[in-house]
Amino acid sequence: MSDGPPSIWEWIGRNWDTGRADSIRNLLTDHLTMSLVPIVLSLVLALPLGLACARWRWLYQPTSGLMNVIYALPSLPVFMLLISVTGLSQTTVIIPLTFYGMAVLIPAVVDGLRSVPDHVRQSAVAMGFTPLRRLLRVELPIAVPVVLAGLRVVAVSSISLVSVGALIGQGGLGGLFTRAYQNPFMPPVIVGIVLIVALALVADALIVLAQRLLTPWVRARKGMAS
Amino acid sequence: MSWLTSFFSWLGEFFGTAANWSGPGGIPMRLLEHLEFSALALALAVVIAVPVGLLIGHTGRGEVIVVVSANLARALPTLGLLVMFVLLLGTASIWPVIIPLVLLSVPPILVNTYEGIRGVDPELRDAAYGMGLRGGQVLTRALVPVALPLILLGCRLSAIQVVATTTVAAYTGLGGLGRYVIDGFATKDYASVVGGSVLIVLFALVVQILFALAQRVAVSPGVSQRQRIR
Amino acid sequence: MRRSWHGGRGPATSERSRVITFDAVTKRYPDGTVAVDSLSLEAPTGEITVLVGPSGCGKTTSLRMINRMIDASEGRILLDGKPVQGIDPPTLRRGIGYVIQQAGLFPHRKIVDNVATVPYLLGWDRKKARSRAMELLERVGLDPALAGRYPFQLSGGQQQRVGVARALAADPPVLLMDEPFSAVDPIVRTSLQEELLRLQSELRKTIVFVTHDIDEAIKLGDRVAVLRVGGRLAQVADPRTLLTEPADDFVREFLGHDRGIRRLQFVPTDGLRLRTDLTVEEGAERGAAEPWLLVVDGDGRPLGWASGARPGELERYGTFVHGRDSMRAALDAALLSPSGCAVAVDEGGRVVGVATRESLDQALAEAADV
Ligand SMILES: Nc1ncnc2c1ncn2[C@@H]1O[C@H](COP(=O)(O)OP(=O)(O)OP(=O)(O)O)[C@@H](O)[C@H]1O
Ligand SMILES: [Mg+2]
């Protein structure tokens, strides 16, 4: 660094693919893994649990209470406590993020299913849908917008939350922040923030796109109204 | 289950050490610091976000601010923001750390206050004006009491955020319970890490309970019966 | 408040009652919709003026221009001769009761405090405001025990009564009501309507009442203004004139196909010819000449029709109060009974005579000539 501080672009170029574990490219890959796994996993787990809560109403109160408590737990101490079980691995970050995701998605699934108007459900019954068919063909599709709205929240916050993992050495792009702090230097911070926000925006846009494809009627209705 | 035995032995070690209970690095002191920073940031966030949320909700102007800030706050990485502010402003005072704490806790309050006011039954708003309440009276006597569950929800979500972020902020030199975790991790003092973590988790849960109680006390039974609170 | 030339023309409480005048009022919304088009109309002191018309014809808009919830684009609205446009809206509104469809009660306040809202605003002391609220709850037919409840603990009909009580709390001379009874079931609606008429006979407020239900309009209105879509006045008249002389096809259509029958409710029964030779006291000897005879008890109250064909059995009968009830009630009474005759009774329920088919026919023919 004798010839003055390098520009951000120079710094990116030099650190993009160094072959070491902390190259930007590797950090990006780690970041994607540690955020995508919880996003997908929390959705996969929340669907059956949410369905169960909608089906057996007594289950909802305790479940949502538990989810509220989980949601309130700060991530860093939870990571720290998990270290003694799962070690300094990606799993230590993935598990809590999955639970945070479920804390948002289970209520979303229940709300979504409850948003199915009663007359719609009744007429599906009257037309002779079996309960399973009714669920798959009528109730879940109507619940999709609410669930996906929840998934957008989960995706964006998981992507940004992964970076806290850097404090236990598993933070994906968050590693850029600790590196910048230890060796006071701004470019890595900027690059980290920009990349994380960009990832979040892309994930958000993909879910919006998925929603348009899955529920074409929502947009058609809005178009008619305007 | 060896991790469970070590977990408890660390806990015993942390809470059993007399030195951990006194002095500037002692548990009471750290607890107070954590409370102080969290409360300061939350109070500033409330002072900023509630009036703005009320104004935007009531007038319907500036809704873009709400949407953008909500999305941005979720997407911005806490740690990155903290490091950026400290690198920019130094560590001479606590403000370089408090500012990002406030920035991150404004949006949940803003969004929920806004949503709360927007969500009030238009008939109620209409009736309030129709009876001759003035703009400000409509807000304070009709809209706010009805929107209160959501406003408080926003404050609760913000408090969750603040407690967590204050913990992370220990990395950039802020005091508070996060110190035990950060310093312990750096020096491989696992008793400190585990003890500190447990303290923070308990702290967060107590804050939750306090907010639930506040909700009970502050929200009119006429409103809470009607509105389901998430 | 300045007394205008309208003052003193109305009934007893005219000092506090107000006439409302629409003077060529037009409302054009920003998107270009003309909701009310050059409306001139007077809502006289102490009377119920009903605005009726199909959905979207500008009833709500007209009503809300009176208390400046909406401001007129052109023309003037005068309250007791004074343009409302010159009055500070909140001050204006505190002197005008306002009742809307879902009652719009404050969910966070107990019923008694809901009713006392305007008195509180006017700076009454708490005790006085609350005792006034309690008095009004009773007045609108609510159990005072409900005072400590919250709105969600009341039925729709009860909430609507609270809405009326709240509007009356500060004793405003003017009451604006926008479809206040349309969200409750027909039975509750009827009782609310009757309650309003009873209240009005005591209070003599100047009421503007909006509805899209022509039956409600005719039942409640001293004057009925029919609006057509586009916010133009089609006709304004008392209900009877409206039914007998609709101004044009639109009004005729709007009044519906049973306009003729409904009109009968304005035809009195005092002129109806009654026969007194068709009643027979219980246990007395029955003449054989008539196919139907009305059996009455010792007090002269009806027991039922005896038929020559089926001796020993009493058949259903229908009554109307002679001179008070309308021809519609008389006809209704006749249709209720297999005898085809209506039983005329006095206010005490004692039989004064029988209206036969022939006499009803004759009265109907006369009514049709009007
Ligand atoms: N804020 C507004 N902006 C634009 N147009 C409006 C607005 N409010 C009402 N309108 C239009 O003005 C017309 C009259 O509306 P108004 O609400 O007065 O009708 P209404 O007679 O009360 O109907 P309803 O019986 O359905 O309540 C309608 O065509 C309506 O669409
Ligand atoms: Mg209307």
Side-chain angles (χ1 to χ4, degrees):
Chain A
M1 277 189 226
S2 49
D3 43 351
S7 78
I8 281 200
W9 298 114
E10 249 179 284
W11 184 84
I12 295 175
R14 217 183 291 159
N15 289 274
W16 174 252
D17 195 1
T18 55
R20 295 209 320 258
D22 65 351
S23 72
I24 302 178
R25 209 178 112 161
N26 287 337
L27 292 180
L28 191 62
T29 321
D30 289 349
H31 203 103
L32 275 176
T33 316
M34 278 187 288
S35 47
L36 285 183
V37 173
I39 294 169
V40 174
L41 213 54
S42 59
L43 182 62
V44 168
L45 291 171
L47 279 175
L49 288 172
L51 283 173
C53 287
R55 172 80 179 69
W56 297 287
R57 287 184 164 247
W58 57 267
L59 209 57
Y60 186 59
Q61 205 60 31
T63 312
S64 82
L66 183 68
M67 288 301 142
N68 269 341
V69 169
I70 288 177
Y71 190 78
L73 300 179
S75 53
L76 182 60
V78 174
F79 293 161
M80 292 288 181
L81 291 175
L82 263 184
I83 291 175
S84 51
V85 187
T86 49
L88 287 176
S89 67
Q90 294 191 341
T91 321
T92 309
V93 175
I94 287 172
I95 292 175
L97 290 193
T98 305
F99 275 98
Y100 292 147
M102 281 161 59
V104 173
L105 285 176
I106 291 178
V109 172
V110 176
D111 283 349
L113 289 174
R114 283 187 187 165
S115 77
V116 178
D118 219 39
H119 62 265
V120 172
R121 188 172 296 137
Q122 301 287 345
S123 55
V125 175
M127 281 186 289
F129 278 79
T130 61
L132 183 67
R133 252 182 107 73
R134 197 175 77 219
L135 181 68
L136 295 177
R137 288 290 160 85
V138 182
E139 294 174 1
L140 275 183
I142 293 178
V144 162
V146 183
V147 176
L148 287 187
L151 191 66
R152 290 174 66 183
V153 173
V154 170
V156 173
S157 36
S158 298
I159 288 171
S160 91
L161 212 49
V162 164
S163 57
V164 172
L167 299 181
I168 60 164
Q170 289 294 347
L173 293 166
L176 295 176
F177 305 143
T178 45
R179 193 201 294 183
Y181 184 72
Q182 282 150 13
N183 174 14
F185 190 44
M186 197 56 107
V189 186
I190 306 293
V191 170
I193 291 179
V194 168
L195 280 179
I196 287 172
V197 171
L199 277 183
L201 290 181
V202 170
D204 195 50
L206 285 177
I207 297 172
V208 171
L209 193 70
Q211 163 155 10
R212 293 218 170 147
L213 295 176
L214 283 172
T215 60
W217 63 89
V218 174
R219 218 153 58 98
R221 189 183 305 149
K222 272 185 195 147
M224 265 166 58
S226 62
Chain B
M1 287 286 139
S2 71
W3 58 268
L4 205 59
T5 30
S6 40
F7 174 81
F8 281 111
S9 76
W10 281 325
L11 267 191
E13 187 185 331
F14 179 73
F15 289 107
T17 308
N20 276 349
W21 287 97
S22 61
I27 292 170
M29 215 41 216
R30 290 287 184 225
L31 203 63
L32 267 179
E33 282 172 357
H34 208 94
L35 187 64
E36 185 193 329
F37 302 139
S38 305
L40 177 65
L42 185 65
L44 286 174
V46 167
V47 166
I48 296 167
V50 170
V52 175
L54 291 180
L55 200 73
I56 297 178
H58 192 39
T59 61
R61 260 175 251 150
E63 288 162 341
V64 176
I65 299 175
V66 177
V67 178
V68 170
S69 81
N71 290 332
L72 210 61
R74 235 176 257 132
L76 279 175
T78 324
L79 184 62
L81 216 56
L82 283 166
V83 170
M84 186 174 90
F85 271 86
V86 168
L87 289 188
L88 280 176
L89 305 176
T91 47
S93 72
I94 57 167
W95 292 106
V97 181
I98 297 294
I99 292 170
L101 286 189
V102 174
L103 285 182
L104 289 172
S105 37
V106 160
I109 306 176
L110 186 63
V111 172
N112 283 287
T113 304
Y114 164 80
E115 295 281 354
I117 297 294
R118 283 275 97 174
V120 174
D121 184 357
E123 292 256 336
L124 176 65
R125 191 185 276 255
D126 202 61
Y129 277 112
M131 277 184 298
L133 275 74
R134 294 180 191 279
Q137 290 173 323
V138 172
L139 193 61
T140 56
R141 299 200 191 179
L143 303 187
V144 169
V146 175
L148 200 58
L150 270 183
I151 297 176
L152 288 178
L153 172 71
C155 294
R156 199 181 62 158
L157 294 176
S158 243
I160 291 174
Q161 165 96 35
V162 154
V163 170
T165 316
T166 305
T167 311
V168 173
Y171 179 72
T172 57
L174 196 70
L177 295 170
R179 286 255 62 82
Y180 293 125
V181 179
I182 299 289
D183 296 345
F185 188 76
T187 58
K188 300 202 189 310
D189 173 1
Y190 292 114
S192 192
V193 170
V194 168
S197 297
V198 167
L199 274 177
I200 296 162
V201 166
L202 289 177
F203 186 89
L205 292 181
V206 169
V207 169
Q208 280 291 291
I209 292 169
L210 289 180
F211 268 93
L213 287 178
Q215 180 108 24
R216 282 263 166 92
V217 175
V219 175
S220 157
V223 173
S224 49
Q225 290 287 328
R226 169 169 293 182
Q227 247 162 303
R228 202 163 52 83
I229 298 148
R230 279 200 313 140
Chain C
M1 210 83 329
R2 191 174 63 90
R3 281 186 63 99
S4 78
W5 52 274
H6 291 288
R9 281 212 320 192
T13 54
S14 67
E15 258 199 349
R16 299 216 55 234
S17 295
R18 307 270 191 77
V19 67
I20 299 163
T21 314
F22 283 77
D23 179 11
V25 175
T26 294
K27 175 63 194 182
R28 202 173 293 107
Y29 282 108
D31 66 356
T33 313
V34 177
V36 177
D37 190 6
S38 183
L39 177 69
S40 290
L41 183 69
E42 187 157 297
T45 301
E47 291 190 1
I48 301 183
T49 302
V50 178
L51 302 181
V52 68
S55 184
C57 69
K59 307 179 293 288
T60 298
T61 305
S62 305
L63 188 80
R64 287 159 65 94
M65 284 191 289
I66 299 172
N67 66 355
R68 296 196 60 192
M69 300 287 281
I70 297 174
D71 274 320
S73 316
E74 285 163 32
R76 296 186 308 164
I77 294 175
L78 309 170
L79 191 58
D80 216 8
K82 203 177 159 191
V84 294
Q85 282 96 332
I87 309 172
D88 162 56
T91 313
L92 174 73
R93 292 171 194 155
R94 285 171 202 182
I96 298 179
Y98 183 53
V99 188
I100 52 178
Q101 198 181 87
Q102 304 285 357
L105 300 181
F106 291 176
H108 59 289
R109 312 192 69 181
K110 293 184 174 156
I111 297 305
V112 58
D113 294 318
N114 259 292
V115 175
T117 306
V118 177
Y120 289 154
L121 280 178
L122 292 173
W124 295 21
D125 75 54
R126 251 189 124 65
K127 240 180 101 182
K128 186 179 160 207
R130 283 181 158 231
S131 76
R132 168 75 179 155
M134 295 303 291
E135 177 197 323
L136 275 165
L137 284 178
E138 223 158 321
R139 244 209 149 120
V140 299
L142 280 174
D143 183 352
L146 299 179
R149 293 208 190 165
Y150 287 97
F152 79 95
Q153 295 165 312
L154 264 54
S155 72
Q158 290 171 328
Q159 290 189 23
Q160 213 56 52
R161 282 171 198 266
V162 176
V164 174
R166 180 172 71 174
L168 290 171
D171 201 17
V174 174
L175 219 54
L176 307 181
M177 309 180 85
D178 192 352
E179 308 205 12
F181 307 147
S182 61
V184 293
D185 69 65
I187 293 173
V188 175
R189 187 179 315 144
T190 305
S191 82
L192 286 168
Q193 288 166 344
E194 255 136 42
E195 200 76 31
L196 178 68
L197 286 176
R198 192 184 56 71
L199 272 173
Q200 172 66 353
S201 69
E202 295 166 14
L203 303 175
R204 295 257 142 233
K205 302 284 181 191
T206 304
I207 298 178
V208 182
F209 190 107
V210 162
T211 179
H212 58 246
D213 175 359
I214 185 68
D215 285 317
E216 188 170 58
I218 285 169
K219 180 168 184 187
L220 297 179
D222 295 308
R223 278 155 64 85
V224 177
V226 184
L227 299 179
R228 61 174 97 233
V229 176
R232 275 163 306 136
L233 184 64
Q235 184 172 10
V236 50
D238 63 281
R240 181 183 183 161
T241 312
L242 196 69
L243 287 169
T244 50
E245 299 160 34
D248 57 19
D249 285 344
F250 169 77
V251 178
R252 200 168 293 126
E253 182 82 3
F254 190 74
L255 290 169
H257 298 300
D258 48 356
R259 176 170 63 91
I261 298 277
R262 267 206 239 110
R263 206 183 62 190
L264 288 179
Q265 75 197 62
F266 299 102
V267 178
T269 47
D270 3 33
L272 196 60
R273 218 159 32 79
L274 301 179
R275 281 179 63 177
T276 49
D277 58 334
L278 293 179
T279 51
V280 55
E281 202 165 312
E282 197 178 12
E285 192 64 17
R286 181 179 191 285
E290 297 289 341
W292 292 96
L293 279 179
L294 181 68
V295 181
V296 296
D297 67 10
D299 275 346
R301 287 175 214 283
L303 293 171
W305 288 100
S307 153
R310 277 186 289 170
E313 275 182 53
L314 288 182
E315 299 283 349
R316 265 176 298 127
Y317 64 93
T319 63
F320 66 97
V321 179
H322 188 237
R324 190 194 73 186
D325 284 346
S326 67
M327 272 300 292
R328 188 175 176 170
L331 198 60
D332 203 47
L335 293 173
L336 277 176
S337 161
S339 69
C341 300
V343 180
V345 295
D346 61 15
E347 301 271 356
R350 274 178 294 273
V351 176
V352 294
V354 168
T356 59
R357 279 190 178 149
E358 293 73 37
S359 67
L360 287 167
D361 262 354
Q362 196 186 338
L364 290 178
E366 282 164 15
D369 288 345
V370 176

